Amino acid sequence: MKKTIYLLSVVSLFAFSCESDDDFTEPIIEVEVEDEAYENGFLVTNQGPFNNGFGTVTFLDEGLTTSENNIYQTVNDDNLGNIVQSIGFTEDNAYVVANVGNRLTIVDRFTFEEIARIETGLSNPRFFASANGKGYLTNWGDGADATDDYIAVIDLATNTITNTIAVEEGPEEILYNGTYLYVTNQGGFGVNDIVTVIDPATDTVVTTIPVGDAPNGLELDSSGNLWVLAGGAPSFTGTETAGSLSVINTTTNTVSSSFDFGVTDHPNSINIEDQNLYYYLNGEVFVSSTTDFEIPTTPELTGLSLFNMIVRGNVLIGTNAGDFASNGSVEVYDLTTGTLVNTLTAGVIPENIYFND
Amino acid sequence: MRHIFLFIAVMLYAHASVGQIDTLQVLPEVILSDVKLREHSVGIAIQKVSDSILQQSRTSLTDVLKNNTSIYFRENGPGGVSSASFRGTNASQTAVVWNGININSQLTGQTDFNTISTNNYDNLDVRAGGGSIIYGSGAIGGSVHLNNEIQFYKRAETIISAGYGSFDTQVAHAKTRFSTDKVYVDVGADFQQSENNFDYLDTDNLFNANGQYENLDLNLNAGYLLSSDGDNTQILKLHHNTYVGDRNFSGTLTAPSNDAYEDRNTRTLVAWENLSKRYDGTLRLAHIYEQFRYFANNESDLNDLGKAARYLANYEGTLKIDSSKRLTLLGEINTISAAGASIDNASRRSASAVALWKHQVLSALSYEIQVRQEVVEDYRSPFLLGVGLDYAFAKEYMLSFNASRNYRIPTFNDTYWAGPGAMGNPDIRPETSKQAELGISRSQNNVTLGLRGFYIDTDDLIKWQPNTMGIWSPVNIVDTQHYGAEFSFKLDKQIGEHRFAATTQYAYTIAKNMETSKQLIYVPKNKGTIGLSHNYSWLSSYIQGTYNGSVFTTTDNTSTVEDSFVANAGVSAELFKNGNHKMILSTQLNNVLNTNYQTVASRPNPGRNFLIQTTYTF
C-alpha cells in the first residue's frame, strides 16, 4: 500500500514537472488530476482548539469560491498535532508546523500525502523556510526563557535535524532572500527588537539588525529591500511602545529608513503586492506605496475582524477566527470596490494563508 | 521498595467507644462547623455523600463527586486539573466551601477538584442551586461542602491505612482523634503518589507521559469547651488544612508535555461560638492562602508564580425568636492581596452584610427570605435576594421551591492580569444569575425519590477574547440560559443480615448561549450514575457506574467528545476484629469494562485499574 502511494506521488510529481509534455498516456494524466488536488489554490492553517485537540489545514480553490477543510486528515487519516502554527514550502513539499504539538509534518504540497515527520528536537516551533537544500525552523523554547531559543536546521534529503543555531529571544517569522535568512525576533513571552541574519552557507548568525519592538512580519519589495513590521510593545508589558516599519538594505544588512506609528498603534499582517504595502491595524486595512512610503491616515477597508490576511492582486483574503472556539471563516474582499465578495468556512482559529502553486 | 510498601500496607481498624449516643445530645450546633448549611437551605436539595462512599473512593474529590452526583467534571486525566460543571454552569460557578468558608481561588475563581483530599473530612455535602447569599461568589450551579466535626465526648481512635495500585500508585492515610468532654483534637495526614503512566487504550504504545503526581494533605481540627453553664455554651474551635501538591501536567494525543505545577495552599479558621437557647453568636477569623508555580519546562527552574492571601473576619448572630422563627445577621470583612508573575501586587477589600429569615409557619410549611449586599472597592456588587419554601403537602411528600439571585465576582486574573498576550480588564463586572427551582420528593420507609426542575438565567458572563489589537482580555459578553431536570432515587433494604443499598442520579441539562442558541461546550445533556452496595457482617461490596453523555467541544457544536459509560467495583473484608482493634482489606477495580473514554478532547483516561488498601483502626 505504502509503495503504491509512493509510486503514485512520484508519478504525479513527474507529471507535474512536465505538465506541458504531450507524451503522457491517458492513465497517468488521470493520476495527476486526481492526486494533485491541492495545486493552484490556497492553503489555510487552522490552529485548532486552544487547549486540546489538533489543528487542521483548509484548501481554497484558486477562484476562492469553495473550501475543503481537514485536507490532511482526509488524505492521511491522521492529525497534524496541537496548534498548527504555519506552513513552510520547498518546490515539492509543504512543512506543517504544530507549535504545542512540537511536530513538523512533511507532506507533498500538492497531494498532502505525508512523507515524514519530525517529533524530536523541536521546542515551541514557529515558522519554517528553506534554503540550499536545508530547512530552517524557528523555535522559541520556553517562551519565558531568553536563552533557549534556536533555529533547527533540517537536512531536507533525510528529514532530520542536523544542526541548531542559537539565536536571541523569540525567533518568529523567517524569510530567505536568495542570500541570507532573515528572522524576526519578536521576543517570545517578552518583547525583542531585532532581525537576525543567518548565512545558510555556514549556518551562522551574520549579524543582528535593530528594528522596532516586537517585529511580527517581513516582506521583500520589488527592489530587494526587506520591510520589517514591528507591532510595538503591547500595553500589558507595562511600557507600551509604538509600532514601526523598518526598511532593511539587504546588501549592507542595515536599516535604511524607518517609520513610526502612533504609540497605541500596533499593526500586523504586512503584505507587499507589487509596489503596495498593506498592513492591518485595529480592524482596518491600510495601504501605501513602497517607493514613496508614508504612514497612511485613511484606511482602505474598515470594520474588519481578521486574525491575519494576505493580498494577491486586487484581492484581500483574511482569516476570521470568530470566538476562537468554533470553526472560523475566510473572508475575500475586492480591494478595488472595498466589498466582501465571499465568505468560506475554515477550521478552528484559521490564521495563515498561503498560495500553493 | 514498591513491594515493601505493598507489604507494609497493613490496615488495622479499631472501633472506638460505642457510648456516643448520650454525649451527643448536646446542641447539634456544637458539632457542625456550618450550621447555615442545614438551617438555611429551605427549598434546596442537599445530597449528603455518605461515609462509606468516601471510604470506598480512596482518591480525589473529583472521583467521589463524578461517580455519585450529577455534577459533570472536565478532568484533564487523573491528577490533572479538574473543574466542575454543575447544571451546565462553568468552572467558576460552583463554589467549594470549607467549614463554611468559600475557598475558590481568588486568581481563577475555581477550585481544582484534584487538589482536595476527601479523606480528611467528616462530611461531604452537595448543595444544588443558588447559594451566593450565604456562600458568596460562584455558588450559581451549586456548592460543595467539606466539613469537619468537633464533638465533645470521651474518645481515642486512630486509623492508619495504606494502599498500592496500578500505575505505581501509592496512598497512605493516618488520622487520630482524641477527645474528652471538654477538649477535642484530631490530626490527619493523607498522601498520594502515582506515576500515572497508564497506556492509552487502542493505540500503539502511546501512554500518559509526564502525568506523575504526588500530594500531601494535612488537617488539624481542635475544639475547647470554654464553658457550659446552664443555658450558655462557649466553644473555641480551630480548623486548619495544608495542601502540598507537586505534579506534571500530562500530554495529550496531539501534544507532548514537559511542564510541571506546584500547589501550596493553607487554610486556617478560628471560631469562637457563644450558644444559648435564644441567641447564638459566632465570631470567625480566617486566613486562606493559595500559591502556585507553573514550570513550562520541568527541567528548568524558571517558573511563573501566582499567590493570593485572604484575611476574613465575620460575626454571625442568630436570634431564635421562638421555636419557629430564626433571624440571622452576618457581617463580614475581607482583605485579599495577590501577586505573581503576571499580577503586580493587587489588593481588594470588601465588606458584606447578610440577613436570613426563616419561619416555620406550620409543622409542614416553612419559608425563608435571604438578602446580601457586598461593597467592594474595584467593582459594583449586585444586591442579592433569595426566597425558599418547603411544604410537606402530604404524608411522605415534600414540595420545595427556591428562587435567588447569585453572582460570580471578577477574579484577580480577570481584573489585574498583565502577562504575555493577555491583559485584565479593570472595568470588568460580576457575572449575575437569576434562578429558580421546583422539586418534589417522596420518602417512604427505605425509599427516597426526588424530582427537581431548575432554570438559570446568567448575565454578563466573563469571557476572555482577543480585543482589536489581538490582546486577550476579559469582557462581560455572554448571556446563557440553563434548564433541566434532576432525578434521584435511593433505596436501603435489609434482608436478614444482608444490607443492600441502591442509588441513582440522573440529570438532563440544556445550557445554551443566548446569542447563538447553541449548547455550551463541555455540558452533557445527559448524565447519570448508579450504585449498588451490599453489606454482610465482615464483607461489603459495591458496583457503580457513571454515564456521561457526549459533549460539544466547539461553540458551533461541530465537534464532540463521545459519550461513555464507566463502571467500577470494589470489595472490602474485615480481616480481624479484636476489641478496639480492627483490620480491613479492600480492593477497588476501576473501569471494569476497560472503556476507552475521554472527558476532555484528546485526553484518554485509564483503562481497567486497581487499588488495594489495608486499614487498621485502634
Side-chain angles (χ1 to χ4, degrees), chain A residues 272-303:
Chain A
I272 295 176
E273 180 72 359
D274 298 327
Q275 307 215 320
N276 288 325
L277 184 150
Y278 297 84
Y279 62 89
Y280 183 82
L281 173 65
N282 288 341
E284 299 177 327
V285 173
F286 293 85
V287 61
S288 184
S289 164
T290 52
T291 53
D292 181 21
F293 187 84
E294 55 184 65
I295 291 191
T297 51
T298 313
E300 196 77 357
L301 295 174
T302 60

Side-chain angles (χ1 to χ4, degrees), chain A residues 44-120:
Chain A
V44 180
T45 55
N46 304 289
Q47 290 189 1
F50 193 65
N51 287 319
N52 301 289
F54 51 87
T56 59
V57 174
T58 298
F59 176 74
L60 315 175
D61 70 319
E62 192 174 9
L64 294 163
T65 54
T66 57
S67 67
E68 180 188 346
N69 287 319
N70 306 329
I71 62 171
Y72 175 84
Q73 288 100 296
T74 304
V75 173
N76 300 286
D77 193 25
D78 200 348
N79 71 73
L80 286 162
N82 192 225
I83 308 297
V84 168
Q85 177 70 35
S86 64
I87 307 178
F89 297 92
T90 58
E91 195 179 333
D92 301 325
N93 296 339
Y95 296 79
V96 187
V97 181
N99 173 242
V100 178
N102 280 320
R103 180 175 141 195
L104 183 70
T105 307
I106 301 151
V107 297
D108 180 298
R109 66 186 287 178
F110 302 121
T111 66
F112 249 68
E113 280 162 9
E114 179 167 332
I115 294 164
R117 61 175 77 175
I118 295 175
E119 294 179 294
T120 53

Side-chain angles (χ1 to χ4, degrees), chain B residues 36-77:
Chain B
K36 294 191 289 304
L37 179 63
R38 194 195 58 190
E39 290 292 341
H40 292 285
S41 296
V42 174
I44 292 272
I46 295 178
Q47 183 188 351
K48 190 173 167 61
V49 179
S50 75
D51 290 352
S52 61
I53 287 172
L54 287 181
Q55 278 158 16
Q56 284 163 15
S57 304
R58 176 54 191 69
T59 43
S60 66
L61 184 57
T62 305
D63 287 339
V64 174
L65 295 177
K66 82 178 174 196
N67 291 332
N68 297 288
T69 73
S70 51
I71 305 175
Y72 171 74
F73 282 87
R74 262 178 90 160
E75 187 185 22
N76 286 350

Side-chain angles (χ1 to χ4, degrees), chain B residues 153-222:
Chain B
Y153 64 93
K154 204 163 175 319
R155 170 167 68 165
E157 174 187 277
T158 300
I159 299 176
I160 299 170
S161 76
Y164 182 80
S166 304
F167 326 124
D168 206 0
T169 302
Q170 300 170 16
V171 298
H173 174 65
K175 182 160 189 158
T176 185
R177 284 179 210 267
F178 172 82
S179 59
T180 67
D181 54 4
K182 263 193 164 329
V183 177
Y184 175 94
V185 182
D186 78 51
V187 182
D190 191 35
F191 175 76
Q192 279 191 67
Q193 176 185 307
S194 178
E195 282 304 309
N196 196 25
N197 54 353
F198 57 89
D199 290 336
Y200 291 166
L201 299 177
D202 309 324
T203 64
D204 294 331
N205 303 321
L206 289 179
F207 69 102
N208 195 52
N210 202 54
Q212 55 270 53
Y213 62 84
E214 66 174 43
N215 56 62
L216 177 66
D217 185 271
L218 299 169
N219 221 34
L220 167 69
N221 299 286

Side-chain angles (χ1 to χ4, degrees), chain B residues 560-609:
Chain B
T560 54
V561 169
E562 293 302 304
D563 63 339
S564 62
F565 178 78
V566 178
N568 307 307
V571 184
S572 296
E574 193 176 282
L575 297 185
F576 75 79
K577 185 176 179 181
N578 185 1
N580 282 348
H581 294 253
K582 192 170 174 180
M583 182 158 151
I584 293 174
L585 178 67
S586 62
T587 304
Q588 287 175 42
L589 192 58
N590 298 318
N591 195 2
V592 179
L593 305 173
N594 209 30
T595 305
N596 182 6
Y597 71 105
Q598 299 176 1
T599 47
V600 169
S602 300
R603 288 192 176 274
N605 281 295
R608 194 176 293 122
N609 65 91

Side-chain angles (χ1 to χ4, degrees), chain B residues 20 121 312 332 335 428 430 458 461 477 549 601:
Chain B
Q20 304 176 5
Y121 298 100
L312 168 157
E332 178 170 306
T335 302
I428 199 81
T458 64
L461 289 199
I477 199 166

Side-chain angles (χ1 to χ4, degrees), chain A residues 52-54 79 81-82 100-101 142 144-145 189 234-236 264 266 282 323-327 348, chain B residues 252 254-256 296 302 419-423 463 466 469 471-472 554-556 558 600-603:
Chain A
N52 301 289
F54 51 87
N79 71 73
N82 192 225
V100 178
D142 177 352
D145 187 340
F189 289 165
S235 54
F236 61 75
T264 56
H266 303 292
N282 288 341
D323 66 355
F324 286 75
S326 57
N327 285 331
V348 176
Chain B
T252 67
T254 58
L302 275 182
M423 182 106 192
K463 185 180 175 225
M469 284 180 286
I471 311 279
W472 289 74
T554 52
T555 56
D556 52 2
T558 53
V600 169
S602 300
R603 288 192 176 274

